[in-house]
Amino acid sequence: MIILGILEVLMSYINNYGDTVRIKTGPKRQLLLTSNYKLYELLLPKMEFVKKSMDYKFFQRWLGTGLLTSEGAKWKKHRQILTPTFHFNLLEDFLEVFESNSKILVEEFKKHLDDTSVDIYRFVNLCTLDIICETTMGTSVKAQENSDSEYVQSVKNMLDIIMGRVFTPHKLFDWIYFFTEDYKKEHKALKILHSHTWDVIKRRRVLYLDALAKGVEVKQRKALLDLLLELNINGQHLSLEEIREEVDTFMFAGHHATASAISFSLFCLANHPEEQATEQKNIFGNDFDRSVSSRDLKSMQYLDLFIKETLRLYPPGPFYSRELDHDVPYEGTILPKGLTITLFAYALHRNPAYFPEPEKFSPSRFENVDGKLPFIYLPFSAGPRNCIGHRFAVVEMKSVISRIVRTFELLPAIPAHELQIASQIVLISTNGVRIRFKKRNQHTGTV
Ligand code: HEM
């Protein structure tokens, strides 16, 4: 289910009433919607404001209290344990996964070379689902080849159901929701999702214990799950249920936002083709088809700027919220305990006070600003509760986009496609993300 209009309505509040708006959400509940960087600066860096708002509870039957939804001591302990698992060396191991799945995506796009308008979002979403399953669980669900599988459908159903709950007032209450068709559908989807995760966890654990007993190294690329299992086996207080929660959390947090980010980047590339392949040609020379290395990715500085500008205009997480658990003095007033503050990144990034001519797509605005925009540019949030998968996402995006740009020239769709931006937990376009492809010479990159 797609909820149209929420984003436009919230933007209109900001445009009409100023950069911070107080909204009554119940007899005793208030929400502060803001695109003023001072509130981001106040909340994001401090440990005392890491409590998420109640909307996140709708994820809990699926994700339990994994990193995205947990609070307090549990969140702090897990964040400490999980941060090293996203180390750069591990990301290098994942390049092969990014590469093999990008190749499947490219083959899908090749089937559409004669089409003047292709909606790329669905294809990209299946690709990022394959990538996250393989990197997190170490096994592929082959979503790109089998998009009708029970697992893929259940992921989709859960996202639809959660979105429906967040924006449908009567479904906010469990005692009403439990009598709806959605609840039955959720029950079925969760059975499939959880049993898949448990199955993988159990199989990989046996593999590890076996190898340990024989005193040999497991000869396969390590998935994030394996690192968590090592912690469990070494007695570092991460139970199997906690591991299940984290694996499902990465699955959810790691595929949908990345699909949104890659799709919008490809759309922007198609509509700003000026320098699409120049940088790739400089890096790959006459061997346009070879695998990408982490050194190549580091050299893609123009692609970096391009992605930054795409995420400014189309932040996959358009808003995220915190709930205050004590009164907070702010600019001569008190922000009361219980207040939900919704940090509206989509509006922050379009605030002309911070980004002149905000609607203009201009990657060069990010040249020479590294480190100078801590609280006005926040696609990955900031501070202790920022996106733990930030670097993972950027490496994945660059790998996939590089492979696509080296295979095709990306062009605007015919007829011209205008995005209809909306929020479906992540930012999407309700009428699809449409572009056109023209094949390049695989050795030289010419079209
Ligand atoms: C372009 C892609 C991505 C974007 C734009 C993005 C954005 C974000 C944002 C804005 C948050 C903060 C949410 C909040 O405060 O409620 C977040 C949190 C999180 N993200 Fe990402 N994310 C992306 C990709 C990923 C990937 C690939 C992974 C995992 C592999 C991931 C895992 C997480 C987790 C676990 C959290 C919760 C962290 C915590 O609360 O400690 N994300 N992400």
Side-chain angles (χ1 to χ4, degrees):
M1 177 199 299
I2 290 165
I3 306 297
L4 287 170
I6 286 288
L7 201 71
E8 283 140 287
V9 171
L10 298 183
M11 265 315 265
S12 73
Y13 290 166
I14 295 285
N15 290 335
N16 294 331
Y17 304 113
D19 61 21
T20 304
V21 182
R22 201 178 277 257
I23 303 170
K24 249 183 165 319
T25 51
K28 287 188 184 165
R29 291 188 60 84
Q30 287 191 349
L31 178 152
L32 208 62
L33 179 74
T34 184
S35 66
N36 184 330
Y37 88 95
K38 285 188 190 158
L39 278 158
Y40 295 70
E41 193 176 44
L42 173 80
L43 297 179
L44 291 178
K46 299 204 187 104
M47 285 302 262
E48 66 181 286
F49 300 124
V50 293
K51 185 172 181 207
K52 300 259 176 111
S53 68
M54 67 173 277
D55 311 328
Y56 293 79
K57 79 170 188 191
F58 300 127
F59 292 98
Q60 284 187 357
R61 264 195 295 275
W62 180 11
L63 311 180
T65 43
L67 209 55
L68 187 70
T69 43
S70 58
E71 291 177 2
K74 178 169 180 182
W75 169 77
K76 206 169 162 190
K77 176 185 141 195
H78 281 219
R79 181 82 195 202
Q80 259 168 10
I81 291 178
L82 293 170
T83 297
T85 59
F86 283 87
H87 193 271
F88 202 78
N89 294 346
L90 185 76
L91 294 184
E92 282 208 26
D93 285 356
F94 290 159
L95 281 185
E96 215 181 303
V97 179
F98 301 155
E99 181 78 10
S100 59
N101 284 294
S102 310
K103 283 185 175 166
I104 300 174
L105 180 61
V106 156
E107 290 309 311
E108 279 304 317
F109 287 155
K110 279 186 188 164
K111 295 178 192 160
H112 296 273
L113 277 169
D114 293 334
D115 300 353
T116 56
S117 174
V118 185
D119 182 2
I120 55 173
Y121 183 78
R122 198 178 81 88
F123 300 110
V124 174
N125 197 38
L126 293 172
C127 175
T128 58
L129 179 58
D130 272 340
I131 287 175
I132 202 69
C133 282
E134 217 172 319
T135 48
T136 304
M137 298 199 244
T139 57
S140 174
V141 288
K142 297 200 184 318
Q144 296 193 86
E145 285 143 56
N146 186 9
S147 58
D148 293 331
S149 79
E150 266 193 330
Y151 185 83
V152 176
Q153 286 307 317
S154 302
V155 172
K156 188 177 170 314
N157 289 346
M158 278 311 295
L159 292 171
D160 285 352
I161 291 166
I162 292 170
M163 186 63 189
R165 285 204 75 182
V166 173
F167 291 107
T168 315
H170 70 272
K171 288 188 192 165
L172 289 174
F173 304 104
D174 280 349
W175 56 276
I176 299 181
Y177 174 67
F178 288 160
F179 292 99
T180 63
E181 273 307 304
D182 271 4
Y183 178 65
K184 284 189 209 148
K185 218 163 131 189
E186 175 188 307
H187 192 71
K188 191 172 162 215
L190 285 183
K191 220 168 144 188
I192 293 164
L193 295 175
H194 285 160
S195 66
H196 179 86
T197 314
W198 273 122
D199 188 47
V200 178
I201 291 176
K202 282 177 191 157
R203 266 190 290 125
R204 286 188 91 90
R205 189 165 187 271
V206 168
L207 205 73
Y208 257 87
L209 289 173
D210 250 17
L212 210 64
K214 289 179 191 146
V216 291
E217 276 262 335
V218 178
K219 280 202 188 62
Q220 60 183 19
R221 186 182 40 245
K222 281 188 182 160
L224 293 170
L225 164 63
D226 298 321
L227 302 172
L228 303 187
L229 283 171
E230 277 175 13
L231 296 174
N232 169 270
I233 290 164
N234 296 334
Q236 286 203 27
H237 309 300
L238 206 56
S239 71
L240 288 183
E241 174 62 21
E242 287 173 328
I243 291 180
R244 200 278 303 156
E245 292 177 344
E246 296 305 353
V247 168
D248 281 343
T249 295
F250 291 153
M251 274 288 312
F252 162 71
H255 101 268
H256 213 38
T258 320
S260 163
I262 294 176
S263 302
F264 286 123
S265 298
L266 295 176
F267 179 84
C268 292
L269 278 164
N271 287 279
H272 301 273
E274 308 81 63
E275 300 192 48
Q276 230 171 67
T278 317
E279 183 175 70
Q280 301 294 322
K281 276 183 195 148
N282 289 341
I283 295 170
F284 291 91
N286 283 337
D287 195 4
F288 238 47
D289 200 33
R290 74 166 164 80
S291 295
V292 73
S293 68
S294 59
R295 201 169 143 189
D296 297 328
L297 293 176
K298 277 189 203 115
S299 323
M300 293 180 197
Q301 286 171 7
Y302 180 71
L303 186 54
D304 249 331
L305 299 180
F306 202 95
I307 288 174
K308 279 187 180 142
E309 180 66 342
T310 304
L311 298 184
R312 179 185 70 81
L313 278 172
Y314 306 109
F319 27 69
Y320 30 92
S321 303
R322 296 287 182 273
E323 190 179 302
L324 301 184
D325 58 9
H326 56 277
D327 289 352
V328 179
Y330 173 69
E331 303 222 313
T333 66
I334 296 287
L335 303 173
K337 177 180 172 180
L339 180 71
T340 294
I341 303 186
T342 294
L343 302 169
F344 193 8
Y346 182 85
L348 177 82
H349 292 175
R350 286 164 190 260
N351 188 334
Y354 315 139
F355 296 100
E357 297 186 79
E359 298 299 329
K360 187 172 162 194
F361 186 86
S362 172
S364 62
R365 69 170 88 230
F366 284 101
E367 269 168 354
N368 311 319
V369 292
D370 256 6
K372 289 185 203 151
L373 308 172
F375 297 102
I376 60 171
Y377 177 68
L378 294 164
F380 294 98
S381 184
R385 244 195 136 162
N386 73 346
C387 176
I388 198 171
H390 176 168
R391 278 190 306 176
F392 179 115
V394 172
V395 173
E396 176 182 349
M397 287 180 74
K398 286 170 88 173
S399 309
V400 175
I401 293 172
S402 164
R403 169 60 60 190
I404 292 172
V405 166
R406 281 183 283 135
T407 315
F408 306 103
E409 183 184 9
L410 308 179
L411 295 162
I414 302 174
H417 182 67
E418 208 155 298
L419 298 171
Q420 283 178 10
I421 299 298
S423 170
Q424 190 196 31
I425 300 179
V426 301
L427 202 74
I428 56 143
S429 170
T430 56
N431 59 344
V433 180
R434 295 189 161 272
I435 63 170
R436 185 162 49 103
F437 297 97
K438 194 167 172 188
K439 184 94 178 63
R440 286 185 197 280
N441 178 308
Q442 72 180 62
H443 300 296
T444 60
T446 50
V447 284

